[in-house]
């Protein structure tokens, strides 16, 4: 097979890898919307599983091609032109198949298919079965966009799809109030932190002249304050998505979602997507010592916090979430200190391990009885020093992170109410506000 | 797509915005409503193909007069918003010789139609009576913006006023986004989300003065289709359940899952969901704003983030929760097809924005628009 052939095949395969899962979801959604009856569970699942399988096979094929087995490896930059081009403004339609992208794409495709297969029986006859699989398709596309994006605009599209999917999955069992509250908190954290991504993207476009990932290599030539500003804005976004301090409060709440999605999002892909962004923007990180130090400090402090909380957490999934967070913090520190290859290996191994652990979490109680794991006896706690007890209490209450953030937001909500009150008065003054029943 | 096809595309989008609400409302699709929609479409097409600003805005004025005269019968629409917007349209039609007055009149017309602050009290009167009437009103924005882009944006004064309008628009988007967080009923939320998009529209109008015409039109199309669609869904919910308060979770998704999905899709598109016109419009607008005012751009980003949070919170209050005992049905078949068609348009523009944006830029160059 010639070099040109592989390029052509890759050019066709990549959009299929990315778009097929969401197309399958859209098809199932369209079936439900257009007809008066729902399709069978088997039909909906098969459609999605076929799409995810094709996505995985093609992803594996791209990885094999990249090793050079079929001759010269295809080009790592696949340019489809521009999604939009108006004067100096351009949304590039570029995909990147370097090793970072290929490994993450393969990981996402494999884990998504695995979880879809697991969920077929786990979610059987559950209310919201179709919703689950439709959202899963959207998430798969989001993850592939993140993995293969060659431009920040495309990366952000995938990033947002992952965020929306994550929030909707957390609130999946919405007949209880708590999952809905948790979903809102996670989504609010994502959106506020994603403002950092948007600002960084617009800044990068203005100072580098392009939003392609490769253009970030030019950040070494930027003035220090520019690279530092862009890097810190990206870091803010990563802190939200990867639940780093002080935005870690939403992660234990996210365990309200179905176990398979906890595995996929918080064990496998979503938490690691933030780290993958850090890998992608590593030229900016390398250009600014301030960003390097900030990333390392955030990562290490999150790792220490999560390790302490994991040891005191009373529920299996919560403890697992913090154990995951501890490793995610360490990986963030690794990337910040420049160990990007180590971080990629760490991400892959860690994601696979955690997905397995999450999927086995429902068996944890059974295992605990079988192996004979017991809680720390009360007498043992009483013999601890004052410092140990304080650390224990702080970890048990997770540093009251949510309360602290709420107290910061309270004045803002007061402002919102005052503004609304003023607005209502203005409307009533001009004759509006007299709402009629339909 | 060639530049010559632009007016036809705009006409098709306007037709979608005009006819969609007709089939959503639970009121029977009567002869009068069909005739009114057809006349509105004919006037819109006349405005789109007019060669002078006087006639283009004049046609919009006639359209607004007709809506004021006849729409009242079907939707109990208050007359004042129609009168005020008609006056602005007439002013925009008659002041072509005076660029300053022309710009002010056109911007006020767009602000009134889109419900931007401080003209939102007029939109509030419409929404408080009937959200579906607001959806119909919003559809006129596409035609009005097209007239603005051809006859007002290329003027020198529009160029000078661009930075001011961008800053103003950013603030006008932020204020309703903040108040959206504390709304206690569905109509209040709809009023805020429309007003926020009205602010975006004003900012886009400013950016158009410096050649960002595609951003302005994409923002308008998103406003018309996403907010029009959302307005139709608000009306559909209220037709079935009466007035919706946001005090506790409604649990309506159990009885009306398709309506819940449609509501979420339109709302998400309005707040920039990837794969829809909203995402491209936001992206394009932010880059355009950045060139005019960094603070304005940052303000818009914060406004969009706050609105997204308010949107999910409102969706949760209306649809999520334990099953509600209700006999209200899900979306009817014609309503479902309208949802599919309208959302399909949003997705089409979202994944292939060049279909509209590139020929538009080329087309407007013929009217003397500043190339970006």
């Amino acid at each position: 097979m010639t070099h040109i052939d592989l390029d052509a095949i890759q050019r066709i395969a990549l959009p299929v890898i990315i778009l097929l899962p969401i197309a399958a979801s859209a098809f199932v959604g369209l079936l439900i919307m257009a007809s008066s009856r729902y399709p069978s569970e088997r039909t909906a699942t098969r459609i999605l599983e076929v799409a995810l399988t094709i996505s995985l096979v093609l992803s594996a094929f791209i990885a094999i091609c990249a090793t050079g087995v079929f001759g010269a490896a295809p080009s790592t930059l696949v340019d489809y032109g521009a999604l939009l081009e108006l004067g100096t403004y351009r949304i590039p339609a570029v995909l990147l198949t370097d090793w970072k992208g290929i490994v993450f794409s393969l990981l996402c495709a494999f884990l998504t298919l695995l979880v879809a297969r697991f969920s077929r029986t786990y979610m059987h006859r559950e209310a919201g079965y179709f919703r689950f699989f439709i959202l899963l398709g959207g998430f798969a596309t989001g993850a592939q966009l993140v993995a293969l994006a060659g431009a920040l605009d495309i990366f952000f599209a995938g990033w947002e799809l992952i965020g929306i999917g994550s929030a909707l999955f957390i609130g999946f069992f919405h007949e209880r109030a708590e999952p809905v509250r948790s979903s809102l908190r996670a989504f609010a954290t994502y959106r506020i932190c994603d403002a950092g991504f948007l600002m960084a993207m617009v800044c990068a476009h203005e100072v580098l002249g392009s939003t392609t990932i490769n253009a970030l290599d030019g950040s070494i030539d930027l003035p220090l304050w520019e690279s530092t500003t862009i890097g810190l804005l990206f870091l803010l976004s990563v802190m939200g998505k990867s639940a780093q301090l002080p935005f870690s409060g939403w992660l234990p709440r996210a365990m309200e979602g179905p176990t398979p999605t906890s595995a996929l999002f918080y064990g496998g892909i979503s938490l690691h997507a933030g780290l993958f962004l850090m890998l992608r923007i590593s030229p900016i990180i390398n250009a600014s010592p301030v960003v390097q130090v900030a990333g390392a400090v955030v990562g290490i402090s999150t790792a220490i916090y999560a390790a302490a909380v994991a040891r005191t957490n009373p529920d299996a999934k919560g403890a697992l979430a913090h154990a995951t967070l501890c490793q995610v913090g360490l990986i963030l520190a690794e990337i910040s200190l420049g160990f990007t290859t180590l971080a990629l290996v760490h991400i892959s191994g860690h994601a696979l391990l955690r997905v397995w652990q999450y999927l086995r979490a429902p068996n944890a109680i059974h295992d605990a009885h079988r192996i004979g794991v017991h809680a720390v006896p009360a007498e043992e706690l009483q013999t601890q020093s004052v410092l140990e007890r304080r650390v224990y209490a702080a970890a048990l209450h997770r540093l009251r992170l949510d309360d602290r953030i709420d107290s910061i937001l309270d004045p803002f909500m007061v402002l919102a109410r005052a503004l609304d009150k003023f607005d209502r008065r203005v409307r009533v003054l001009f004759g509006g506000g007299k709402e009629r029943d339909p | 797509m060639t530049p010559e096809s632009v007016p036809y595309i705009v006409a098709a989008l306007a037709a979608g915005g005009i006819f969609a609400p007709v089939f959503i409302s639970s009121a029977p699709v009567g002869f009068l409503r069909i005739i009114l929609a057809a006349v509105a479409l004919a006037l819109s097409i006349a405005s789109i193909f007019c060669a002078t600003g006087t006639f283009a805005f004049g046609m919009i004025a006639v359209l607004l007069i007709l809506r004021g005269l006849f729409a009242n019968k079907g939707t109990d629409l208050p007359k004042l918003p129609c009168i005020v917007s008609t006056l602005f349209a007439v002013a925009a039609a008659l002041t072509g010789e005076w660029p300053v007055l022309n710009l002010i009149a056109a911007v006020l017309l767009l602000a009134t139609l889109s419900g931007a602050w401080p003209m939102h009290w007029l939109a509030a009167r419409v929404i408080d009576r009937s959200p579906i009437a607001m959806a119909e009103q919003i559809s006129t924005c596409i035609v009005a913006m097209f007239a603005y882009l051809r006859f007002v944006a290329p003027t020198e004064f529009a160029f000078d006023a661009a930075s001011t309008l961008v800053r103003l628009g950013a603030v006008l988007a932020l204020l309703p986004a903040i108040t959206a967080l504390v709304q206690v009923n569905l109509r209040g939320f709809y009023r805020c989300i429309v007003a926020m998009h009205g602010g975006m529209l004003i900012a886009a109008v400013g950016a158009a003065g410096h050649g960002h015409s595609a951003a302005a039109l994409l923002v308008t199309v998103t406003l018309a289709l996403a907010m029009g669609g959302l307005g139709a869904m608000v009306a559909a919910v209220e037709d079935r359940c009466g007035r919706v308060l946001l005090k506790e979770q409604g649990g309506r998704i159990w009885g009306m899952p398709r309506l819940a999905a449609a509501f979420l899709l339109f709302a998400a598109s309005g707040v920039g969901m990837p794969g829809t016109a909203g995402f491209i419009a936001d992206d394009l607008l932010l880059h355009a704003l950045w060139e005019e005012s960094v603070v304005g751009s940052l303000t818009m980003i914060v406004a969009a983030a706050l609105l997204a949070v308010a949107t999910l919170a409102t969706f949760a209050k209306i649809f999520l929760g334990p099953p509600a005992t209700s006999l209200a049905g899900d979306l009817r078949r014609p309503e479902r097809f309208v949802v599919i068609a309208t959302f399909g348009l949003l997705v089409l523009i979202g994944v292939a924005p060049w279909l509209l944006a590139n020929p538009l830029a080329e087309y407007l160059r013929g009217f003397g628009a500043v190339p970006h």
Side-chain angles (χ1 to χ4, degrees), chain B residues 21-328:
Chain B
V22 174
F23 292 96
I24 291 287
S25 173
S26 67
V29 185
F31 185 66
L32 179 66
R33 295 195 71 192
I34 296 281
I35 292 289
L36 265 176
V39 171
L41 180 60
L43 287 167
S44 300
I45 290 172
S47 169
I48 288 165
F49 285 93
C50 271
T52 65
T54 305
F55 278 107
F57 284 110
M59 289 297 141
I60 294 170
V62 176
L63 166 62
L64 294 169
I65 290 169
L66 277 177
R67 185 168 288 157
L69 285 176
F70 292 104
N72 197 316
K73 293 180 192 297
T75 56
D76 196 20
L77 190 68
K79 285 197 168 55
L80 187 62
C82 285
I83 294 169
V84 174
S85 51
T86 304
L87 286 176
F88 289 139
V90 170
L94 298 178
T95 53
E97 298 294 314
W98 302 280
V100 179
L101 292 176
N102 195 225
L103 178 79
I104 292 170
V107 170
L108 285 173
L109 170 66
L110 282 164
T112 312
L113 291 175
S114 64
W117 282 29
M119 309 305 290
H120 72 298
W121 61 273
L122 285 166
R125 286 173 74 113
V126 179
I127 294 171
D128 290 347
R129 303 283 180 96
S130 161
I132 200 82
M134 189 63 201
E136 287 173 1
Q137 179 175 309
I138 287 173
S139 68
T140 316
C141 284
I142 296 181
V143 185
M145 177 58 92
F146 194 60
Y148 176 87
L149 292 177
R150 284 182 301 158
F151 304 113
V152 186
T155 61
E156 200 174 317
F157 186 69
F159 186 89
D160 294 339
S163 297
T164 310
L165 283 172
V166 162
R167 288 184 177 88
L168 181 68
V171 174
L172 297 183
L174 180 64
L175 295 177
I178 293 172
T179 54
L181 291 166
V182 293
Q183 292 306 304
V184 292
N185 64 54
L186 179 55
R187 288 182 183 187
F189 166 74
Y190 183 57
R191 191 170 54 235
C192 290
I193 194 170
V194 167
M196 188 273 183
H197 279 82
M200 283 176 73
L201 193 78
I202 300 298
V205 162
H210 281 184
H212 297 283
S213 320
L217 194 66
L218 276 172
V219 168
T220 316
V221 168
T222 303
L223 170 75
L225 297 180
M227 291 302 103
L230 185 65
M233 292 306 108
V234 170
V237 174
E238 292 196 337
D239 284 342
R240 288 158 174 79
C241 312
R243 270 196 57 205
V244 178
L245 298 178
L246 306 177
K247 283 182 181 164
E248 53 193 28
Q249 289 179 309
R252 294 178 181 86
I253 196 171
W254 301 90
M256 38 187 94
R258 293 179 182 89
L259 178 50
F263 184 98
L264 187 62
L265 288 174
F266 283 123
S269 176
V271 295
M273 184 173 79
T276 67
F279 181 75
I280 299 292
D282 281 7
D283 198 29
L284 205 50
L285 184 65
L286 287 178
H287 283 279
L289 297 192
W290 186 273
E291 290 179 14
E292 308 302 327
S293 158
V294 174
V295 177
S297 181
L298 301 185
T299 307
M300 196 64 84
I301 289 172
V302 173
L306 292 177
L307 191 70
V309 176
T311 300
L312 188 64
T314 305
F315 172 78
K317 288 282 183 194
I318 303 166
F319 291 106
L320 304 186
T325 45
S326 169
L327 295 173

Side-chain angles (χ1 to χ4, degrees), chain A residues 131 166-175 179-180 182-183 257, chain B residues 320:
Chain A
R131 182 160 38 101
S166 171
L168 292 176
F169 272 126
I170 294 170
F172 190 83
F173 297 117
H174 57 86
E175 53 275 25
V180 178
S182 303
S183 156
Chain B
L320 304 186

Side-chain angles (χ1 to χ4, degrees), chain A residues 38-63:
Chain A
Y38 278 57
S40 69
E41 281 189 359
R42 176 189 280 262
T43 307
T45 317
R46 283 283 150 82
I47 291 170
L48 198 82
E49 279 184 4
V50 167
L52 291 174
T53 306
I54 294 172
S55 186
L56 174 63
V57 169
L58 289 176
S59 191
F61 177 73
I62 297 287

Side-chain angles (χ1 to χ4, degrees), chain A residues 30-38 82-89 91 127 131 153 156-158 160-161 164 167-168 171 174-177 180-181 183-184 187-188 191-192 194-196 198-199 201-203 205-206 211 412-413 415-417 419-420 423 426-427 430-438, chain B residues 76 117 120-121 124-125 128-129 175 178-179 181-183 185 187 191 214 218 238 242-243 249 253-254 257-258 261-262 264 271 273-274 279-280 283-284 286-287 290-291 297-298 301-302 304-306 308-309 312-313 316 319-323 331 333 336-337 339-340 350-351 353-354 357-358 361 372:
Chain A
L30 211 58
L31 278 181
I32 293 172
M33 189 62 96
S35 69
S36 48
R37 286 194 314 157
Y38 278 57
L83 200 58
L84 190 63
E85 187 162 16
L86 294 163
T88 58
Y89 176 72
I91 303 180
R131 182 160 38 101
D153 308 76
F156 186 67
E160 284 293 279
L161 281 178
I164 294 168
L168 292 176
H174 57 86
E175 53 275 25
R176 288 183 292 117
V180 178
R181 270 199 293 272
S183 156
L184 283 173
F187 187 68
R191 286 304 298 215
I192 301 299
D194 286 354
L198 266 176
M199 289 178 201
M201 188 168 72
V202 179
C203 280
H205 182 264
E206 295 307 319
T211 54
F412 180 76
M413 295 309 284
L415 169 74
R417 284 192 195 92
L419 202 56
D420 185 50
D423 175 46
V426 171
R427 282 187 285 113
F430 287 104
K434 297 173 202 161
E435 296 175 7
R436 291 185 184 183
D437 285 332
Chain B
D76 196 20
W117 282 29
H120 72 298
W121 61 273
R125 286 173 74 113
D128 290 347
R129 303 283 180 96
L175 295 177
I178 293 172
T179 54
L181 291 166
V182 293
Q183 292 306 304
N185 64 54
R187 288 182 183 187
R191 191 170 54 235
L218 276 172
E238 292 196 337
R243 270 196 57 205
Q249 289 179 309
I253 196 171
W254 301 90
R258 293 179 182 89
L264 187 62
V271 295
M273 184 173 79
F279 181 75
I280 299 292
D283 198 29
L284 205 50
L286 287 178
H287 283 279
W290 186 273
E291 290 179 14
S297 181
L298 301 185
I301 289 172
V302 173
L306 292 177
V309 176
L312 188 64
F319 291 106
L320 304 186
L331 282 179
R333 191 175 283 264
R336 278 187 250 155
F337 284 114
V339 168
I340 291 170
V351 296
W354 69 86
N358 292 357
H372 170 57

Side-chain angles (χ1 to χ4, degrees), chain A residues 216-300:
Chain A
L216 296 178
D217 292 338
S219 53
I220 195 77
D221 300 325
L222 292 178
L224 184 63
W225 72 270
E226 282 184 355
S227 55
T228 301
T229 305
I230 296 173
L232 289 178
L233 286 169
F234 273 126
L235 182 62
L236 171 69
S237 186
V238 170
M239 285 159 68
K241 188 70 92 192
S242 295
Q244 299 297 292
L245 279 178
F247 305 112
S248 308
W250 65 265
L251 185 62
R253 293 165 178 266
M255 299 300 123
E256 298 279 0
T259 295
T261 57
S262 298
L264 188 59
F265 281 80
Y266 314 113
I269 297 167
S270 186
L271 275 188
H272 292 105
L275 303 173
F276 189 72
L277 174 62
M278 289 294 280
L279 285 176
R280 281 293 187 218
I281 61 157
S282 52
I284 293 180
I285 299 171
N286 294 338
S288 168
V290 177
V291 180
Q292 287 174 331
V293 172
V297 168
V298 168
I300 290 168

